[in-house]
Amino acid sequence: MQTNSKTIKDLLEADYQYTEIILQYLLDMTRSQIFLNQNLELSDDVWNRFLDIQRDLKDGRPLQYAIGKWNFYGYDFIVNENVLIPRPETELLVEEILKEELKDKKLLDIGTGSGAIAVSLDLENKDNLQVSACDISKEALEVARVNAEKLGAHLDFIHSDLFENIEGRFDIIVSNPPYISEEDYDKLDELLYHEPKTALYGGIKGYEIYEKIIDQAKSYLKDQASIYFEIGYDQGKVISDLLRENGYHDVKILQDYGEKDRIVTGKWLKDSITS
Ligand code: GLN
């Protein structure tokens, strides 16, 4: 029976898509382990999963959903069509927040999706940061819950349309909300239409959700609290203006590794002037 079984080498030499990446996830190996173990024979299970993934890719399904997992900040998150695929640019948001003094602080992630941001922050910070995460989608929240459990994170999940079911005040509010405008949504790469529209489409202008969060957050932020957003590359000015107009201080735009505006952050002071 073993005579027909495939080795890693057989697959690497054949004409499949994304073989290396898929094998890394299926075998739980690093890229170099894949290359150092080329004579390893694949179990029937792995071989069948590999073929299923290849079939999905042929049907146009995004690689991340076909595999069912994707790495974010060093952790493998379960992903499916109910959640946005975690993007490497978003890791920067986690990195920035981890620079803050987080001991005993309370953080809220709005629109958590797969839980990538909230779970990574909870796992990375060992200083009793209390993380809450909400999403309008029950299906997304279920994915986030499973990810938290699987990765050993302890957070509070709340089913909520923005602040609707949120109580209390936070030291940090973070969000990577849907931010694509109507005009841009119609022009997206075909692969992005496999992702939930609720996670991408931000309204006619694209920044409608920021307008709501920035306004409503004032009742949910403590004195000296911070707000962090991921933004579209062309939204730096509009979102930072919105924050300032709403009385936030220390508004900053940060760029990603491609030198595109990617994060906007600001601070809320109790006596911020709200005009
Ligand atoms: N960065 C995503 C993109 O690929 C958009 C994510 C979002 O809308 N929050 O366009």
Side-chain angles (χ1 to χ4, degrees):
M1 280 299 159
Q2 288 303 315
T3 46
N4 283 335
S5 56
K6 305 271 185 207
T7 61
I8 291 183
K9 189 159 185 262
D10 294 333
L11 266 62
L12 288 171
E13 286 174 351
D15 195 16
Y16 293 113
Q17 301 183 63
Y18 301 112
T19 304
E20 262 173 63
I21 299 178
I22 296 167
L23 287 178
Q24 282 178 53
Y25 280 98
L26 293 185
L27 300 171
D28 200 15
M29 284 184 173
T30 62
R31 192 157 176 265
S32 42
Q33 284 170 331
I34 296 287
F35 286 100
L36 290 169
N37 290 285
Q38 294 209 32
N39 294 325
L40 185 87
E41 288 183 358
L42 304 177
S43 68
D44 287 352
D45 248 23
V46 169
W47 172 233
N48 287 328
R49 277 287 296 133
F50 184 83
L51 290 179
D52 282 347
I53 294 169
Q54 290 299 324
R55 216 167 293 130
D56 280 0
L57 292 174
K58 277 223 176 72
D59 291 345
R61 199 176 183 201
L63 174 67
Q64 297 88 337
Y65 293 148
I67 294 175
K69 285 187 216 167
W70 201 244
N71 196 278
F72 179 86
Y73 217 86
Y75 303 104
D76 284 349
F77 284 86
I78 290 170
V79 291
N80 62 31
E81 273 79 355
N82 291 316
V83 298
L84 191 80
I85 297 164
R87 310 285 205 266
E89 300 90 289
T90 308
E91 293 178 346
L92 206 65
L93 205 53
V94 173
E95 219 165 274
E96 279 306 312
I97 295 172
L98 287 172
K99 289 180 188 165
E100 285 212 22
E101 169 56 57
L102 298 172
K103 191 163 164 45
D104 301 324
K105 296 262 169 89
K106 279 181 69 184
L107 176 143
L108 172 68
D109 175 22
I110 300 177
T112 197
S114 65
I117 297 170
V119 170
S120 303
L121 283 167
D122 186 74
L123 293 171
E124 288 293 312
N125 181 270
K126 305 281 174 255
D127 246 356
N128 195 35
L129 172 69
Q130 296 165 48
V131 181
S132 302
C134 69
D135 207 289
I136 191 172
S137 155
K138 279 192 174 149
E139 292 78 14
L141 224 48
E142 199 39 48
V143 175
R145 267 201 196 101
V146 173
N147 278 321
E149 195 181 323
K150 201 173 65 81
L151 293 166
H154 299 281
L155 16 157
D156 222 10
F157 289 106
I158 305 147
H159 180 231
S160 181
D161 178 2
L162 304 182
F163 294 99
E164 203 175 19
N165 300 319
I166 304 296
E167 281 168 20
R169 288 186 183 261
F170 298 85
D171 300 283
I172 298 170
I173 290 179
V174 55
S175 186
N176 174 17
Y179 54 66
I180 296 174
S181 68
E182 180 159 82
E183 197 191 334
D184 289 345
Y185 190 80
D186 292 337
K187 295 186 294 202
L188 291 179
D189 186 282
E190 198 57 41
L191 274 174
L192 275 95
Y193 295 124
H194 290 260
E195 299 190 73
K197 188 172 179 183
T198 39
L200 290 168
Y201 175 67
I204 294 171
K205 299 177 291 186
Y207 56 86
E208 283 87 337
I209 313 281
Y210 299 96
E211 292 179 312
K212 289 189 188 163
I213 297 178
I214 289 171
D215 177 41
Q216 295 172 19
K218 297 170 199 170
S219 311
Y220 296 88
L221 288 165
K222 294 185 190 172
D223 186 25
Q224 307 284 339
S226 313
I227 194 157
Y228 287 88
F229 289 117
E230 174 170 323
I231 55 154
Y233 70 95
D234 55 355
Q235 293 172 323
K237 179 164 167 35
V238 67
I239 308 301
S240 51
D241 283 351
L242 265 172
L243 280 169
R244 279 190 211 96
E245 284 160 19
N246 277 273
Y248 290 77
H249 294 255
D250 294 342
V251 176
K252 285 186 208 109
I253 304 174
L254 308 173
Q255 296 189 321
D256 63 21
Y257 301 111
E259 289 175 14
K260 293 203 171 108
D261 290 352
R262 185 58 64 189
I263 293 174
V264 173
T265 168
K267 279 208 174 309
W268 181 252
L269 310 183
K270 203 172 63 218
D271 51 1
S272 287
I273 303 145
T274 49
S275 52

